[in-house]
Amino acid sequence: GESATLPFDEHIDVVKETVAMASGAIPVIAGSGANSTAEAIFLTEQLGAVGVDGFLSVVPYYNKPQQAGMVAHFNAIANASDLPVILYNVPGRTVADMLPETVAELATHKNIVGLKDATGDIARLKQTQPLVPEDFVLLSGDDGSSCEFMCEGGHGVISVTANIAPKMCSDMQKFSKSEDKDEQKKAEEIDKILQPVHKSLFIESNPSPVKYAAKLIGLCDDNVRLPLVTVLEPTKTEVKKALLSANLINE
């Protein structure tokens, strides 16, 4: 998504339209994070009013908050609504890294129910697991390592590639959580097919490559808002090659 370049009124309208289109058939988790706690609370309150089922809230970017600052920030957000909140740790974009001990402290709040971990570090999953309750949801935010993440006890993935290959991503998740060895092997086979797609979608800053991939499969145009721009020709070549290799498009 391009939520970081949407003004608040448009951000709220997009979520409102999404809730209307989902029409209760699937849960809608809305991104309500911001680097200002007051703005994150405002978005949480506004999006809660349009009927979402929960929130995804990112570690504040640019500010580089201390771990204690993260605890105060997310507790304030979780206190602003009775809906569930999923924490989102993506230090590659925010610079600040939420440590497992901080996640464990936040997991004691009744409204904080899970974590999207986009570190791509399986060791981080293993460090977090024993510190949080069994029903605390651990989600990968890194497509490239998501199969291994789930095989190691993670619960799912919030995926970029699923915008382009939803059935394959869904099957990979389902099979990776199976106790059947043959189905686990299927998950590994799908993951192997998708690895070039995962890599191609991050050659340049997300979401520019995935918007181009979406254009190739006929979902939408590849326009993106400044400061991002459409991808360069070499990236287009790699994205197209990856989609062809996964049989997601035809020549």
Side-chain angles (χ1 to χ4, degrees):
E2 296 181 73
S3 62
T5 46
L6 297 183
F8 281 159
D9 59 343
E10 193 173 4
H11 186 144
I12 294 162
D13 283 346
V14 167
V15 173
K16 186 176 181 179
E17 289 295 317
T18 303
V19 170
M21 282 189 271
S23 200
I26 55 172
V28 176
I29 309 301
S32 65
N35 69 327
S36 158
T37 305
E39 289 182 359
I41 289 173
F42 171 79
L43 272 176
T44 298
E45 291 173 340
Q46 294 295 310
L47 297 176
V50 305
V52 301
D53 298 280
F55 307 102
L56 180 70
S57 193
V58 70
V59 168
Y61 43 90
Y62 184 80
N63 300 329
K64 295 177 67 175
Q66 313 95 315
Q67 298 299 307
M70 294 181 199
V71 171
H73 172 81
F74 286 116
N75 278 332
I77 292 167
N79 287 336
S81 172
D82 290 329
L83 294 173
V85 175
I86 299 172
L87 309 171
Y88 179 16
N89 189 35
V90 56
R93 284 182 176 265
T94 66
V95 182
D97 184 7
M98 183 164 50
L99 300 179
E101 294 76 14
T102 303
V103 175
E105 184 173 350
L106 287 164
T108 63
H109 194 294
K110 65 182 179 64
N111 293 336
I112 296 178
V113 301
L115 168 71
K116 176 184 176 182
D117 178 354
T119 62
D121 183 1
I122 302 301
R124 180 62 67 89
L125 169 67
K126 306 306 287 184
Q127 292 163 5
T128 305
Q129 285 169 321
L131 301 180
V132 296
E134 285 188 11
D135 61 352
F136 190 80
V137 180
L138 294 169
L139 303 169
S140 171
D142 176 69
D143 279 300
S145 60
S146 62
C147 185
E148 184 182 1
F149 184 95
M150 288 180 284
C151 289
E152 291 294 333
H155 301 110
V157 55
I158 296 178
S159 169
V160 172
T161 304
N163 289 284
I164 306 304
K167 181 67 164 63
M168 293 175 75
C169 289
S170 176
D171 285 347
M172 189 270 287
Q173 291 183 63
K174 178 177 66 177
F175 293 144
S176 70
K177 299 306 296 177
S178 172
E179 295 182 3
D180 184 291
K181 296 295 183 184
D182 289 336
E183 291 198 340
Q184 290 175 7
K185 187 175 180 181
K186 287 181 184 178
E188 293 170 2
E189 291 169 352
I190 295 170
D191 184 54
K192 186 175 180 180
I193 293 169
L194 286 176
Q195 281 298 326
V197 181
H198 299 328
K199 290 183 174 66
S200 75
L201 297 183
F202 286 90
I203 294 172
E204 296 184 42
S205 293
N206 179 49
S208 294
V210 75
K211 291 291 287 287
Y212 177 66
K215 179 179 180 178
L216 290 179
I217 64 174
L219 280 180
C220 62
D221 204 348
D222 62 342
N223 293 329
V224 285
R225 295 189 182 186
L226 293 172
L228 296 182
V229 294
T230 54
V231 293
L232 300 171
E233 288 301 324
T235 300
K236 289 181 179 181
T237 300
E238 290 303 311
V239 170
K240 186 173 183 180
K241 185 195 304 182
L243 266 57
L244 284 167
S245 73
N247 292 317
L248 294 168
I249 57 172
N250 300 314
E251 283 282 10

